[in-house]
Short mmCIF file of all heavy atoms in Angstrom, two decimals:
data_model
loop_
_atom_site.label_atom_id
_atom_site.label_comp_id
_atom_site.label_asym_id
_atom_site.label_seq_id
_atom_site.Cartn_x
_atom_site.Cartn_y
_atom_site.Cartn_z
N GLU M 374 -78.89 17.68 51.31
CA GLU M 374 -78.47 16.69 52.30
C GLU M 374 -77.07 17.00 52.83
O GLU M 374 -76.76 16.77 53.99
CB GLU M 374 -78.50 15.29 51.67
CG GLU M 374 -79.90 14.79 51.32
CD GLU M 374 -80.48 15.39 50.04
OE1 GLU M 374 -79.70 15.93 49.22
OE2 GLU M 374 -81.71 15.37 49.89
N VAL M 375 -76.22 17.58 51.95
CA VAL M 375 -74.86 17.94 52.36
C VAL M 375 -74.90 19.21 53.22
O VAL M 375 -74.26 19.29 54.28
CB VAL M 375 -73.96 18.17 51.11
CG1 VAL M 375 -72.63 18.78 51.49
CG2 VAL M 375 -73.75 16.85 50.36
N THR M 376 -75.69 20.17 52.78
CA THR M 376 -75.81 21.43 53.55
C THR M 376 -76.36 21.15 54.94
O THR M 376 -75.88 21.70 55.94
CB THR M 376 -76.77 22.38 52.78
OG1 THR M 376 -76.33 22.43 51.42
CG2 THR M 376 -76.78 23.76 53.36
N PHE M 377 -77.36 20.26 54.99
CA PHE M 377 -77.97 19.92 56.29
C PHE M 377 -76.95 19.25 57.21
O PHE M 377 -76.87 19.57 58.40
CB PHE M 377 -79.17 18.98 56.05
CG PHE M 377 -79.85 18.52 57.31
CD1 PHE M 377 -80.72 19.35 57.99
CD2 PHE M 377 -79.61 17.24 57.82
CE1 PHE M 377 -81.35 18.93 59.16
CE2 PHE M 377 -80.24 16.82 58.98
CZ PHE M 377 -81.10 17.66 59.66
N LEU M 378 -76.15 18.34 56.64
CA LEU M 378 -75.13 17.65 57.45
C LEU M 378 -74.16 18.67 58.05
O LEU M 378 -73.82 18.61 59.24
CB LEU M 378 -74.37 16.64 56.59
CG LEU M 378 -73.22 15.89 57.27
CD1 LEU M 378 -73.74 14.97 58.37
CD2 LEU M 378 -72.41 15.09 56.24
N ALA M 379 -73.76 19.66 57.24
CA ALA M 379 -72.85 20.70 57.74
C ALA M 379 -73.52 21.50 58.87
O ALA M 379 -72.89 21.76 59.90
CB ALA M 379 -72.46 21.63 56.59
N ASP M 380 -74.80 21.81 58.72
CA ASP M 380 -75.52 22.55 59.78
C ASP M 380 -75.57 21.73 61.07
O ASP M 380 -75.34 22.25 62.16
CB ASP M 380 -76.96 22.86 59.32
CG ASP M 380 -77.00 23.90 58.20
OD1 ASP M 380 -76.03 24.68 58.10
OD2 ASP M 380 -77.97 23.89 57.41
N VAL M 381 -75.84 20.43 60.94
CA VAL M 381 -75.92 19.55 62.12
C VAL M 381 -74.55 19.48 62.82
O VAL M 381 -74.45 19.59 64.04
CB VAL M 381 -76.39 18.13 61.71
CG1 VAL M 381 -76.20 17.13 62.84
CG2 VAL M 381 -77.84 18.17 61.26
N LEU M 382 -73.48 19.36 62.00
CA LEU M 382 -72.12 19.30 62.58
C LEU M 382 -71.76 20.63 63.25
O LEU M 382 -71.22 20.65 64.35
CB LEU M 382 -71.11 18.93 61.48
CG LEU M 382 -71.16 17.48 60.99
CD1 LEU M 382 -70.39 17.32 59.69
CD2 LEU M 382 -70.61 16.53 62.06
N ASN M 383 -72.11 21.75 62.63
CA ASN M 383 -71.82 23.07 63.23
C ASN M 383 -72.58 23.23 64.54
O ASN M 383 -72.03 23.74 65.52
CB ASN M 383 -72.21 24.18 62.24
CG ASN M 383 -71.13 24.40 61.19
OD1 ASN M 383 -70.00 23.90 61.33
ND2 ASN M 383 -71.48 25.10 60.12
N GLN M 384 -73.80 22.74 64.58
CA GLN M 384 -74.60 22.81 65.80
C GLN M 384 -73.90 22.03 66.93
O GLN M 384 -74.01 22.37 68.10
CB GLN M 384 -75.96 22.21 65.49
CG GLN M 384 -77.11 22.63 66.37
CD GLN M 384 -78.30 21.65 66.13
OE1 GLN M 384 -78.23 20.77 65.26
NE2 GLN M 384 -79.32 21.80 66.94
N ALA M 385 -73.13 20.99 66.54
CA ALA M 385 -72.44 20.14 67.53
C ALA M 385 -71.03 20.66 67.83
O ALA M 385 -70.27 20.00 68.54
CB ALA M 385 -72.37 18.71 67.01
N GLY M 386 -70.69 21.83 67.22
CA GLY M 386 -69.39 22.44 67.57
C GLY M 386 -68.37 22.47 66.45
O GLY M 386 -67.24 22.93 66.65
N ALA M 387 -68.73 21.99 65.24
CA ALA M 387 -67.77 22.02 64.12
C ALA M 387 -67.67 23.44 63.57
O ALA M 387 -68.49 24.31 63.90
CB ALA M 387 -68.23 21.06 63.02
N LYS M 388 -66.65 23.66 62.72
CA LYS M 388 -66.46 24.99 62.10
C LYS M 388 -66.43 24.82 60.58
O LYS M 388 -65.37 24.72 59.97
CB LYS M 388 -65.16 25.61 62.61
CG LYS M 388 -65.21 26.01 64.08
CD LYS M 388 -64.11 27.04 64.40
CE LYS M 388 -64.29 27.60 65.81
NZ LYS M 388 -63.38 26.95 66.79
N ILE M 389 -67.61 24.76 60.01
CA ILE M 389 -67.74 24.57 58.56
C ILE M 389 -68.38 25.81 57.95
O ILE M 389 -69.36 26.35 58.47
CB ILE M 389 -68.65 23.35 58.26
CG1 ILE M 389 -68.10 22.09 58.94
CG2 ILE M 389 -68.80 23.13 56.75
CD1 ILE M 389 -69.02 20.88 58.86
N THR M 390 -67.80 26.27 56.81
CA THR M 390 -68.41 27.40 56.08
C THR M 390 -68.46 27.05 54.59
O THR M 390 -67.77 26.11 54.15
CB THR M 390 -67.56 28.68 56.25
OG1 THR M 390 -66.20 28.34 55.86
CG2 THR M 390 -67.56 29.19 57.69
N GLY M 391 -69.30 27.76 53.85
CA GLY M 391 -69.37 27.58 52.40
C GLY M 391 -70.28 26.44 51.96
O GLY M 391 -70.47 26.23 50.76
N HIS M 392 -70.88 25.70 52.89
CA HIS M 392 -71.77 24.61 52.50
C HIS M 392 -72.98 25.19 51.77
O HIS M 392 -73.50 26.24 52.14
CB HIS M 392 -72.22 23.78 53.70
CG HIS M 392 -72.54 24.55 54.93
ND1 HIS M 392 -71.59 25.34 55.59
CD2 HIS M 392 -73.69 24.72 55.63
CE1 HIS M 392 -72.14 25.90 56.65
NE2 HIS M 392 -73.41 25.55 56.70
N GLY M 393 -73.37 24.49 50.70
CA GLY M 393 -74.42 25.02 49.81
C GLY M 393 -73.78 25.68 48.60
O GLY M 393 -74.45 25.96 47.60
N THR M 394 -72.45 25.91 48.66
CA THR M 394 -71.72 26.39 47.47
C THR M 394 -70.77 25.27 47.04
O THR M 394 -70.67 24.24 47.71
CB THR M 394 -70.86 27.64 47.80
OG1 THR M 394 -69.69 27.19 48.50
CG2 THR M 394 -71.63 28.63 48.67
N ASP M 395 -69.97 25.49 45.98
CA ASP M 395 -69.09 24.39 45.53
C ASP M 395 -67.71 24.45 46.18
O ASP M 395 -66.82 23.67 45.84
CB ASP M 395 -68.98 24.36 44.00
CG ASP M 395 -68.41 25.66 43.46
OD1 ASP M 395 -68.13 26.56 44.29
OD2 ASP M 395 -68.26 25.77 42.24
N VAL M 396 -67.53 25.37 47.15
CA VAL M 396 -66.29 25.41 47.93
C VAL M 396 -66.63 25.41 49.42
O VAL M 396 -67.23 26.36 49.92
CB VAL M 396 -65.42 26.64 47.60
CG1 VAL M 396 -64.15 26.65 48.45
CG2 VAL M 396 -65.08 26.67 46.11
N ILE M 397 -66.28 24.30 50.09
CA ILE M 397 -66.58 24.16 51.53
C ILE M 397 -65.27 24.22 52.31
O ILE M 397 -64.28 23.59 51.92
CB ILE M 397 -67.31 22.83 51.81
CG1 ILE M 397 -68.65 22.78 51.07
CG2 ILE M 397 -67.51 22.62 53.30
CD1 ILE M 397 -69.39 21.44 51.21
N ARG M 398 -65.26 25.03 53.39
CA ARG M 398 -64.07 25.15 54.24
C ARG M 398 -64.38 24.56 55.61
O ARG M 398 -65.44 24.84 56.17
CB ARG M 398 -63.66 26.63 54.39
CG ARG M 398 -63.17 27.25 53.11
CD ARG M 398 -62.87 28.75 53.25
NE ARG M 398 -62.55 29.27 51.93
CZ ARG M 398 -61.35 29.10 51.34
NH1 ARG M 398 -60.38 28.47 52.00
NH2 ARG M 398 -61.12 29.58 50.14
#
Side-chain angles (χ1 to χ4, degrees):
E374 293 78 18
V375 170
T376 310
F377 178 78
L378 178 65
D380 291 336
V381 168
L382 288 166
N383 279 347
Q384 203 194 355
K388 291 200 171 99
I389 304 172
T390 54
H392 40 299
T394 77
D395 60 359
V396 179
I397 298 176
R398 293 176 186 281

